[in-house]
Amino acid sequence: MEQNIIDIQLGIHPGDKLLAAAIESLLFVSGRPLEQAELRKLLDINEERLQSALQLLEQDLRDQGRGIRLQLLGEQVQLVTAPENARYVAALLGLPMTAKLTSAALE
């Protein structure tokens, strides 16, 4: 209850956290970038609610120091690995540590 009061004071719509979690799930299982129009249709929400939920998800992933980030490219949205973890991803993929990873490799 206390967190809900804080969220309202910060201007966060109570349903935005649920939407942000739903978007995270959709992006995780899709394995590909999703169009914002596709997300609006799947979640049955308008543009304003989508943007609010995307902003909240992006902020939460950064603030919590998570290993993934939300990337917006035009109308597409995708989850990518955090740049600070590139060396670990490179090691997993067997890439030389001097190789610069592309956005696709960081997914």
Side-chain angles (χ1 to χ4, degrees), residues 18-28 39 43 50 53-54 57 77:
L18 296 173
L19 283 174
I23 291 167
E24 184 177 11
S25 294
L26 291 169
L27 292 171
F28 179 76
L39 288 171
L43 298 167
L50 176 63
L54 288 173
L57 177 57
V77 182

Side-chain angles (χ1 to χ4, degrees), residues 31-47:
R32 64 175 175 85
L34 295 178
E35 296 286 333
Q36 290 186 36
E38 188 176 7
L39 288 171
R40 284 192 302 274
K41 183 177 178 181
L42 287 166
L43 298 167
D44 192 27
I45 57 174
N46 64 24
E47 177 69 16

Side-chain angles (χ1 to χ4, degrees), residues 33-105:
L34 295 178
E35 296 286 333
Q36 290 186 36
E38 188 176 7
L39 288 171
R40 284 192 302 274
K41 183 177 178 181
L42 287 166
L43 298 167
D44 192 27
I45 57 174
N46 64 24
E47 177 69 16
E48 182 179 336
R49 290 290 306 280
L50 176 63
Q51 293 307 315
S52 180
L54 288 173
Q55 183 178 11
L56 180 61
L57 177 57
E58 182 177 30
Q59 181 178 343
D60 282 351
L61 292 172
R62 284 186 191 278
D63 291 351
Q64 295 173 13
R66 304 276 299 276
I68 57 175
R69 298 286 184 267
L70 188 68
Q71 184 176 61
L72 302 164
L73 293 171
E75 286 297 307
Q76 294 188 328
V77 182
Q78 66 180 343
L79 293 176
V80 297
T81 56
E84 58 270 23
N85 295 322
R87 64 184 169 157
Y88 306 117
V89 174
L92 175 68
L93 298 175
L95 299 172
M97 296 306 271
T98 57
K100 180 160 174 61
L101 296 178
T102 65
S103 293

